[in-house]
Amino acid sequence: MDQGELLTLLSPEGLRLLDSLPPYDSSADVVSMVARLRSAGHPAQLVAAVLNQSKLRRRAREKFSEFADRMLFTEAGLEQATRLTVAARHAERFRAAGLHTVVDLGCGIGGDALAMAALDLEVTGVERDEVTAAIAAYNLAPWSNAEIVNADAQDYPLDGFEGAWLDPARRNASKRLKNPADWSPSLDVAFAVADRLPTGIKLGPGIDRGLIPKGCEAQWVSAGGTVVELALWFGDLARQGIRRTATVLGAHGITELTADGDSADVPVGPLGEFVYEPDGAVIRARLIGDLGRSIDATMLSKGIAWLSSDTAVDTPFAARFRVVESLPYDVKALRKLVAARGIGTLEIKKRGVDVDPAELRKKLNPRGDASATLILTRIAGRHTAILAEREPAVAATPTF
């Protein structure tokens, strides 16, 4: 979004038109809608701006629920924005630590700042891009305890703040930036802020673990089955004795697995009646061993994230599958098995096996009314196929 489009959108006519549109429907006749709005006298630039914003609001509901309907977005800002359920946990960290004034360095469209303001924290968001800063200011307008500053977060003064939050921009207009020195603010700047103030830093979950400082709490967060971030917590924001955290948000609520470091794996054992797939946050945090011990399970193979047991244990930290049959990995044998059982809906999961699930699905040609999960992995060094049934998701009591 350029400055001209933003000014058009922020005009009284633009905001009225945007709020008057029905929820965006990708299957609707957009050409007819454009023609109808143009015939009503709205300029072409305005029509394009509000329809694009309407589409972004629809996409944003996944992260911001009903709050998205009064917010403004950019493509890049929405992509990197923290979903509100996760941002609320960030804000709660600051409040629980007794910090009241927070600077959000590189605030983007203001998702985390919004959550902090909603918890009555005094938050100042700093954003270098002028258009993005203006959008953040619009999104934070309902909160008198929030301020947005159009400035470079790299050298913004920290005097007067009790804590800091950073979500470095990890891409430019055309590509994702792999070098932390190219992020905005850079990772070195973020760590320098953490040397001065209690600080939280949001990073991608797949970051090189060698970049994680030893003294912080590293928290991997998954939401709806997807690992969405790694948050590093420093100073009073890091909980005592905790250096590794896997936080899982789902239908069960919010649960955490914590440790003072990476956990040792459980031993390798035989295939049991049940197979467990650890949540991605547990895998990233390297707490598979602690999970295995908590459910009395063993590894199927060294270094591969599958656990197995003869006992069905409900846990929010892993999906459970009941084993139906296992056999050496062979496409012809699997095709016969799938056909014999009338399997038409086939979920394919693989770890430790070089297989393209999409190509394998074509070869297996699943047809029928039954459903199953095919797990491809190594057991005792051999490529193995496990036909299984996914067990119902756990509905546990939240622990955090």
Side-chain angles (χ1 to χ4, degrees):
M1 181 187 298
D2 59 25
Q3 190 178 70
E5 182 180 352
L6 177 64
L7 292 175
T8 299
L9 192 61
L10 289 176
S11 68
E13 180 186 5
L15 292 175
R16 280 196 301 268
L17 182 58
L18 175 60
D19 290 337
S20 72
L21 293 179
Y24 184 83
D25 182 358
S26 59
S27 64
D29 186 347
V30 178
V31 174
S32 296
M33 181 177 291
V34 170
R36 186 170 65 253
L37 294 175
R38 291 287 286 116
S39 65
H42 299 297
Q45 184 183 20
L46 175 59
V47 171
V50 297
L51 287 180
N52 182 59
Q53 200 59 218
S54 179
K55 180 172 66 175
L56 289 174
R57 280 183 170 181
R58 175 64 180 268
R59 283 171 46 194
R61 285 187 68 89
E62 180 183 355
K63 288 187 173 183
F64 292 94
S65 64
E66 68 275 8
F67 286 94
D69 295 339
R70 67 145 308 275
M71 296 175 67
L72 297 180
F73 303 94
T74 65
E75 290 273 357
L78 176 56
E79 179 182 344
Q80 187 161 324
T82 306
R83 61 191 64 205
L84 200 54
T85 52
V86 179
R89 309 309 300 178
H90 299 159
E92 180 56 36
R93 280 261 188 170
F94 285 90
R95 188 169 71 170
L99 307 177
H100 304 288
T101 57
V102 181
V103 60
D104 183 351
L105 297 170
C107 67
I109 62 170
D112 278 291
L114 187 154
M116 293 177 190
L119 288 186
D120 295 327
L121 302 177
E122 296 285 338
V123 58
T124 298
V126 181
E127 174 56 48
R128 181 175 63 180
D129 181 75
E130 185 178 18
V131 169
T132 305
I135 287 177
Y138 178 87
N139 292 338
L140 273 294
W143 285 272
S144 60
N145 53 322
E147 177 187 12
I148 302 298
V149 179
N150 180 207
D152 192 338
Q154 295 272 137
D155 51 15
Y156 192 77
L158 302 179
D159 299 337
F161 296 107
E162 298 172 339
W165 172 255
L166 297 95
D167 181 1
R170 296 179 289 280
R171 65 176 304 140
N172 59 22
S174 61
K175 64 180 180 179
R176 192 170 295 277
L177 303 172
K178 296 181 180 180
N179 188 345
D182 296 331
W183 298 347
S184 180
S186 70
L187 194 55
D188 285 344
V189 168
F191 288 159
V193 172
D195 287 338
R196 295 184 56 187
L197 294 174
T199 297
I201 304 173
K202 174 186 170 182
L203 301 172
I207 188 175
D208 179 0
R209 289 171 61 97
L211 295 174
I212 301 173
K214 292 182 179 180
C216 68
E217 176 186 345
Q219 177 190 32
W220 284 264
V221 180
S222 73
T226 300
V227 187
V228 295
E229 70 171 43
L230 163 63
L232 303 182
W233 301 102
F234 298 82
D236 291 342
L237 293 170
R239 291 171 293 183
Q240 189 172 6
I242 297 177
R243 291 295 175 262
R244 296 289 180 265
T245 301
T247 301
V248 179
L249 287 73
H252 61 274
I254 303 171
T255 50
E256 285 196 328
L257 192 61
T258 62
D260 60 2
D262 297 353
S263 70
D265 285 342
V266 291
V268 173
L271 175 64
E273 186 177 349
F274 299 95
V275 171
Y276 293 85
E277 180 184 28
D279 184 89
V282 176
I283 296 173
R284 294 282 190 183
R286 294 187 183 172
L287 298 180
I288 300 171
D290 284 352
L291 171 62
R293 282 179 281 275
S294 73
I295 62 175
D296 195 23
T298 54
M299 304 281 287
L300 281 180
S301 186
K302 183 177 177 61
I304 300 179
W306 289 108
L307 296 166
S308 188
S309 171
D310 285 325
T311 306
V313 180
D314 287 340
T315 173
F317 300 114
R320 187 175 73 235
F321 302 85
R322 186 179 66 83
V323 176
V324 175
E325 189 171 343
S326 68
L327 64 160
Y329 175 65
D330 179 83
V331 175
K332 291 183 179 179
L334 284 173
R335 184 165 58 243
K336 291 180 181 179
L337 179 62
V338 168
R341 290 183 173 272
I343 298 171
T345 303
L346 184 64
E347 176 186 31
I348 301 177
K349 291 182 167 290
K350 59 114 178 181
R351 282 198 177 96
V353 177
D354 186 14
V355 174
D356 183 339
E359 288 298 318
L360 178 60
R361 187 184 307 280
K362 293 178 183 177
K363 295 176 181 178
L364 299 183
N365 191 27
R367 293 182 180 179
D369 298 327
S371 61
T373 298
L374 182 62
I375 297 171
L376 306 175
T377 189
R378 292 199 308 268
I379 298 180
R382 299 173 182 171
H383 289 186
T384 303
I386 304 169
L387 192 68
E389 295 177 349
R390 181 183 282 272
E391 299 270 276
V394 64
T397 301
T399 59
F400 177 71

